[in-house]
Amino acid sequence: MKLKFMKYRKLSYWIAGALIALSVLSLILRGLNYGIDFAGGISMEVKPISAEYTIDKMRADLEQFNPELQSIGDNGAVLVRVGLPKGATDAEQNQRVAEIKNILGDKVEYSQVQIVGPKIGGELVRGGILAVLFSFLLMSVYVWVRYRGGYAVGSFISLCLDFVIMFGFFSITGLEFNQTAIAVILMGVGYSINDKVVNYDRIEENIKKYHKMPMDDLIDLSVNEMMRRTIMTGVSTILAMVALFLFGGPALRDFAIAMTFAVIMGTFTSIYISNVILYHFNLRDETK
């Protein structure tokens, strides 16, 4: 059975527009949930000595610091995250750690203590932004060198859409935005671009083969021919992310969720954005 993707091309524009609007609004109104490595703060991994010292009691003891507590693993360990005052000095950071340890006392064991000052966090934010911008620039150059005409326009528009939606996803879901999130965004967009290149190559081949076939039928044919490869690649990647989510621990859980969304998003923008845009260009003249 051949699926008629181009039949729903107008609906795809509405879906893409809604995703962009939601992403931009969320980024404006909610922003990003910066992790400690970007915002600065204290992260402690502790394990209560006694089962009677629950996470709720720990939260109550640290209430004055407005902490974020999260159970991790199966051994009763707790991740404690506490923010730092803007412009906190090294002495003030160490003082905050001492205050927390003084409150928790001998009721917990400490596995890990991490301090990221606001200054370092700001530098990491700038570095992350530069990494995203540089990657976007390189991918844009690749698109314009690799393609021309409608192919270049379709690739570039879908590339912009990929970046906007990925940032919007982190904003809407509230997942922690840190250095790992930057890696997920770049990996996800890279996956999406690769999928588009494969689809475009097949469309180019079919244009040379079927000289009189209507463009919507030709695009549908090309996508259907690549559908098995698209499904197998996407499903295998998602299965790996499911394994990370189930067995990788809290540190990899957000990564697995975001990467799964990136695969789904990349597949959607390949089929229903970059390919749909081609419908509006005379590709046969461009192929000559």
Side-chain angles (χ1 to χ4, degrees), residues 49-270:
I49 299 297
S50 171
E52 296 179 357
Y53 192 54
T54 64
I55 189 172
D56 291 330
K57 291 181 179 179
M58 191 182 303
R59 182 178 288 107
D61 288 343
L62 299 173
E63 184 179 5
Q64 60 180 304
F65 302 115
N66 192 26
E68 296 180 13
L69 276 67
Q70 177 183 358
S71 297
I72 56 176
D74 299 323
N75 62 350
V78 177
L79 180 64
V80 181
R81 301 176 65 228
V82 175
L84 287 169
K86 187 174 182 179
T89 64
D90 291 343
E92 290 172 333
Q93 295 168 24
N94 293 328
Q95 177 64 27
R96 178 61 57 87
V97 173
E99 291 173 356
I100 295 172
K101 287 186 174 182
N102 184 54
I103 292 174
L104 297 178
D106 57 0
K107 292 178 285 189
V108 299
E109 294 177 347
Y110 298 91
S111 302
Q112 180 181 349
V113 178
Q114 179 185 8
I115 302 176
V116 177
K119 181 178 179 181
I120 297 176
E123 293 175 354
L124 292 175
V125 170
R126 287 190 290 274
I129 292 174
L130 287 175
V132 172
L133 291 177
F134 188 65
S135 299
F136 178 80
L137 177 62
L138 290 180
M139 290 184 190
S140 300
V141 170
Y142 169 77
V143 165
W144 287 102
V145 170
R146 176 68 178 80
Y147 294 113
R148 60 179 179 174
Y151 296 104
V153 173
S155 299
F156 184 74
I157 290 177
S158 58
L159 174 64
C160 295
L161 186 65
D162 288 339
F163 273 104
V164 172
I165 293 178
M166 281 304 300
F167 276 99
F169 171 78
F170 277 96
S171 177
I172 293 170
T173 60
L175 291 179
E176 189 173 290
F177 190 79
N178 48 29
Q179 290 177 303
T180 302
I182 294 293
V184 171
I185 290 174
L186 297 183
M187 290 173 62
V189 174
Y191 175 95
S192 179
I193 283 293
N194 177 70
D195 201 33
K196 292 168 178 57
V197 169
V198 173
N199 275 277
Y200 276 6
D201 285 348
R202 180 54 59 92
I203 291 172
E204 283 187 312
E205 292 174 5
N206 284 337
I207 284 177
K208 298 175 182 177
K209 187 185 302 184
Y210 303 102
H211 301 287
K212 296 184 179 180
M213 181 180 291
M215 187 54 60
D216 53 348
D217 290 338
L218 188 143
I219 293 176
D220 282 339
L221 172 66
S222 302
V223 175
N224 276 282
E225 289 177 346
M226 299 305 302
M227 186 53 60
R228 183 177 179 181
R229 178 248 176 219
T230 299
I231 292 175
M232 291 184 64
T233 303
V235 169
S236 61
T237 305
I238 290 175
L239 288 177
M241 294 304 106
V242 170
L244 282 180
F245 180 84
L246 295 176
F247 307 110
L252 295 176
R253 199 158 290 160
D254 286 358
F255 172 87
I257 294 172
M259 196 63 204
T260 299
F261 174 80
V263 171
I264 297 172
M265 176 209 66
T267 303
F268 168 76
T269 57
S270 294

